[in-house]
Amino acid sequence: MKLSQQVIYQIYPKSFYDSDGDGIGDLRGIIEKIPYLQKLNVDMIWFNPFFVSPQNDNGYDIADYYRIDPTFGTMSDFEELVAKLKAIGIGVMLDMVFNHTSTEHVWFQKALAGDRKYQKFYYLRHAKPDGSLPTNWESKFGGPAWSPFGESDLYYLHLYDPTQADLDWHNPAVRAACAEVVNYWRQKGVKGFRFDVINVTGKAAQLVDAPKGVASKTLYTDTPIVQDYLKELNAASFGQDPDSVTVGEMSSTTIKNSIGYTNPDNHELSMVFNFHHLKTDYVDGRKWSRMSFDFPRLKHLLDGWATGMNAGNGWQALFWNNHDQPRALNRFGDPGRYRVKSAEMLATVIHLMRGTPFIYMGEEIGMTDPDYDSMADYVDIEALNAYRALVRSGYSHADAFTIVKTKARDNSRTPMQWDASPKAGFTTGRPWLRPTNQAKINVVQELAHGEIFKYYQQLIKLRKTLPIVADGDYRTWRLDDDQVFGYWRQLGSQQLLVLNNFYATTTTVDLPAEMVTAKVLLSNYDAVKVQPKMVLQPYQSVALLVNKN
Ligand code: TEU
């Protein structure tokens, strides 16, 4: 199936299904749930990392790219999983974390032991003459981006946790080693690759201080050399397979660069994730702050990216949720009064757009953030650091907690809710992260009485069967409506208009004249009447299709 018709499902292995009662999800658990994945009819599954790791950043700190962490299973479990998914037409996408390795990785350990070859794999630098750190860069998880390199007088760079040491991509041996990892997994039948924060690999050869008032990330994020690295990686590995599907996780990228990364003529990646739309509920771009989302800004971002990528023949990964984001339902929907309708509306926005939709596990049953009442339930390093930093900067414990509660990555990492039992049918042991609302939101309930899962099935089917959904051009609809985000898709003489009411109040839309004779392709409400003044119910989506001939 061609890329434009595919839908990708993301599984956070630690939280999907635990087959052995240790409270942590595993590969055998995923194998048991294959029939569920088949029901949804997705084409590929992206698995967050399950390689050998001390788990300081839940597997994004990899100590061995070639082995499966025993917590998750064995290589033969993995091979069985790939084979069973392949048999029903589902591909596997693995998470390649190449900006950094765990400090427990043998490369870093050899470097520490004095091996010159491996010392060149990392950014090792001396302190400044005044004894201060090599640069003033900050770690994305808080604190300085440099830590002492063993007993030496050197420091090593880590843009994330101190146990995640940045690899020096200027070194061709590092790039070759990464390609070798990709090729190893390709030979195991893996067709999909997600490249973690791949656009921060392009640091300058000389690392310098960020000028006062300038964020250090602007010095090393999304620089032109990233495209050279990607072309090389493509040619040396996945690009040799015409069916490969790749996605780059791009921090603070631009439309122009994302066209560069994904225009097929460039032979880099199939598509990219960008995060601009998921910062529309940040105060002044600061994640650890609280406000309700800025609807005009959200619309302009979604529309601007869709228009720009369409014009430059780029390709977007479309998503609301992942393992780093609080649940979109809590941010852009109404999980209390309109959980079902707002879940469906958000799904419609993404699935009928131009690009490849990603579904994050649990989204298809309308999962929401957990309702924790103290910091004791949170485990993510980023959340714990942020809480301390907020309190240090003067927030009361209560206010700091409220911010963490809405922003923590743990929000999306809670176990998949399979049934209404106390452990949500996820484990027989003690779940590593506590579910809170499984009595109401769970797979058993959803499949028996719900409508969200069925709605996702319809959206997935439309992409596979209707060329306009897969391949149509994207066109802007009016951007000035106070509560509706709409857009056009166009293919030949067909036109599709997708209208989405982002609020809990009804609203009326003046339909463009040519749409008054349209047929309703899909809506999350029954008995929709197409009329010149269309009334949209709370969180209603309507997709209208006409043939101009
Ligand atoms: O995330 C990269 C990234 O951009 C994060 O800094 C993200 O902005 C943050 O998690 C949200 O606050 C990737 C992985 O998806 C994440 O899970 C890892 O922790 C990170 O890289 C380091 O590998």
Side-chain angles (χ1 to χ4, degrees):
M1 185 152 337
K2 51 182 194 170
L3 177 64
S4 59
Q5 294 175 297
Q6 297 187 28
V7 174
I8 302 180
Y9 188 82
Q10 181 187 353
I11 286 184
Y12 198 66
K14 202 168 175 179
S15 302
F16 196 60
Y17 186 59
D18 174 20
S19 72
D20 61 6
D22 64 358
I24 296 176
D26 45 49
L27 299 184
R28 297 227 63 83
I30 299 168
I31 293 172
E32 280 186 47
K33 296 296 183 184
I34 288 177
Y36 175 77
L37 300 163
Q38 187 172 19
K39 231 192 280 274
L40 197 57
N41 202 13
V42 292
D43 301 279
M44 183 169 263
I45 299 174
W46 155 27
F47 297 95
N48 292 96
F50 42 57
F51 312 103
V52 171
S53 161
Q55 299 286 330
N56 291 325
D57 185 20
N58 280 6
Y60 282 90
D61 45 330
I62 297 178
D64 187 340
Y65 292 104
Y66 292 95
R67 280 171 43 229
I68 308 242
D69 197 291
T71 321
F72 293 110
T74 63
M75 190 58 87
S76 81
D77 294 334
F78 177 72
E79 286 163 355
E80 184 180 329
L81 175 64
V82 175
K84 289 196 163 147
L85 288 173
K86 189 176 177 200
I88 56 167
I90 299 182
V92 167
M93 173 179 274
L94 292 187
D95 213 318
M96 300 283 106
V97 187
F98 290 152
N99 175 65
H100 42 263
T101 70
S102 163
T103 49
E104 288 185 19
H105 194 286
V106 63
W107 300 339
F108 194 84
Q109 288 301 316
K110 283 188 173 169
L112 269 181
D115 188 326
R116 300 282 299 152
K117 174 177 171 198
Y118 290 104
Q119 290 187 347
K120 292 196 184 116
F121 270 44
Y122 298 92
Y123 288 100
L124 305 183
R125 296 290 188 270
H126 287 283
K128 292 203 192 99
D130 68 359
S132 61
L133 294 174
T135 68
N136 61 359
W137 298 4
E138 300 245 305
S139 150
K140 292 172 192 276
F141 290 156
W146 295 96
S147 291
F149 183 63
E151 301 293 292
S152 74
D153 55 359
L154 292 165
Y155 291 84
Y156 69 93
L157 176 71
H158 54 83
L159 294 181
Y160 293 87
D161 190 65
T163 63
Q164 293 167 298
D166 280 53
L167 285 167
D168 184 348
W169 275 63
H170 295 103
N171 181 349
V174 165
R175 306 198 303 270
C178 292
E180 201 177 301
V181 172
V182 174
N183 287 333
Y184 175 80
W185 293 105
R186 281 178 62 210
Q187 156 253 314
K188 296 248 174 229
V190 175
K191 299 248 177 239
F193 297 95
R194 173 212 185 242
F195 296 101
D196 189 59
V197 288
I198 195 69
N199 70 333
V200 302
T201 54
K203 289 129 191 144
Q206 295 288 352
L207 306 183
V208 297
D209 274 353
K212 231 184 156 48
V214 174
S216 53
K217 70 173 182 185
T218 57
L219 300 190
Y220 57 74
T221 304
D222 218 38
T223 56
I225 198 169
V226 174
Q227 287 195 232
D228 299 336
Y229 292 156
L230 286 171
K231 285 191 179 79
E232 184 183 302
L233 185 61
N234 176 307
S237 61
F238 60 84
Q240 296 160 8
D241 174 2
D243 297 334
S244 69
V245 175
T246 52
V247 53
E249 191 204 19
M250 298 299 175
S251 177
S252 304
T253 187
T254 60
I255 295 172
K256 180 170 170 280
N257 289 350
S258 293
I259 291 169
Y261 296 133
T262 62
N263 184 309
D265 297 341
N266 291 348
H267 300 285
E268 294 180 26
L269 298 172
S270 317
M271 61 190 142
V272 288
F273 291 117
N274 88 76
F275 296 90
H276 298 286
H277 63 300
L278 297 178
K279 296 182 178 168
T280 51
D281 56 358
Y282 289 12
V283 177
D284 302 327
R286 280 180 295 116
K287 169 170 175 168
W288 300 98
S289 62
R290 252 192 102 191
M291 69 173 208
S292 54
F293 74 106
D294 178 338
F295 180 57
R297 209 172 127 66
L298 176 69
K299 272 204 297 198
H300 280 92
L301 280 165
L302 292 174
D303 177 74
W305 273 82
T307 305
M309 292 294 268
N310 197 149
N313 198 23
W315 196 253
Q316 302 198 75
L318 305 167
F319 70 108
W320 286 116
N321 290 295
N322 68 29
H323 64 291
D324 291 333
Q325 300 287 331
R327 294 272 176 186
L329 250 180
N330 289 70
R331 305 169 70 178
F332 308 105
D334 186 341
R337 288 177 304 161
Y338 291 102
R339 186 179 67 89
V340 173
K341 295 300 170 194
S342 58
E344 293 166 347
M345 182 281 288
L346 290 170
T348 313
V349 171
I350 293 290
H351 282 257
L352 298 184
M353 271 209 180
R354 179 178 173 279
T356 298
F358 280 67
I359 301 168
Y360 179 69
M361 62 176 212
E363 193 185 307
E364 74 283 7
I365 61 165
M367 273 178 65
T368 59
D369 290 346
D371 191 16
Y372 295 153
D373 47 27
S374 88
M375 280 306 294
D377 277 307
Y378 293 86
V379 301
D380 183 31
I381 35 170
E382 190 200 34
L384 303 180
N385 290 346
Y387 178 73
R388 281 192 292 266
L390 287 166
V391 170
R392 237 184 288 119
S393 71
Y395 282 85
S396 69
H397 286 271
D399 288 348
F401 174 70
T402 315
I403 293 176
V404 168
K405 184 170 172 160
T406 50
K407 292 294 167 76
R409 302 193 295 183
D410 305 75
N411 279 317
S412 56
R413 298 179 179 183
T414 55
M416 179 74 180
Q417 293 170 186
W418 295 103
D419 64 33
S421 67
K423 293 167 184 173
F426 161 70
T427 180
T428 54
R430 188 183 140 87
W432 73 278
L433 206 56
R434 192 167 64 88
T436 63
N437 52 27
Q438 71 276 15
K440 184 172 159 215
I441 308 169
N442 62 70
V443 171
V444 170
Q445 151 73 26
E446 177 64 29
L447 295 184
H449 310 290
E451 55 172 68
I452 307 175
F453 189 91
K454 285 197 203 99
Y455 194 81
Y456 270 84
Q457 286 175 313
Q458 287 183 57
L459 285 168
I460 293 168
K461 190 166 169 202
L462 284 178
R463 179 163 289 271
K464 295 198 196 314
T465 52
L466 263 195
I468 191 170
V469 172
D471 298 317
D473 280 315
Y474 175 93
R475 298 277 180 262
T476 304
W477 184 69
R478 334 171 3 189
L479 283 173
D480 59 352
D481 194 288
D482 287 342
Q483 64 183 77
V484 177
F485 171 54
Y487 56 83
W488 294 103
R489 300 294 306 279
Q490 193 185 319
L491 188 71
S493 58
Q494 274 196 333
Q495 272 199 312
L496 178 67
L497 178 63
V498 184
L499 299 171
N500 307 286
N501 180 3
F502 267 76
Y503 289 90
T505 45
T506 55
T507 186
T508 307
V509 166
D510 287 317
L511 268 199
E514 70 264 39
M515 297 314 280
V516 175
T517 55
K519 77 169 215 252
V520 179
L521 181 65
L522 179 77
S523 177
N524 56 346
Y525 279 78
D526 293 331
V528 178
K529 269 222 259 25
V530 182
Q531 44 200 5
K533 288 197 178 300
M534 279 283 298
V535 176
L536 296 182
Q537 301 300 317
Y539 296 101
Q540 181 167 13
S541 287
V542 189
L544 302 173
L545 186 66
V546 284
N547 213 320
K548 283 187 289 190
N549 292 336

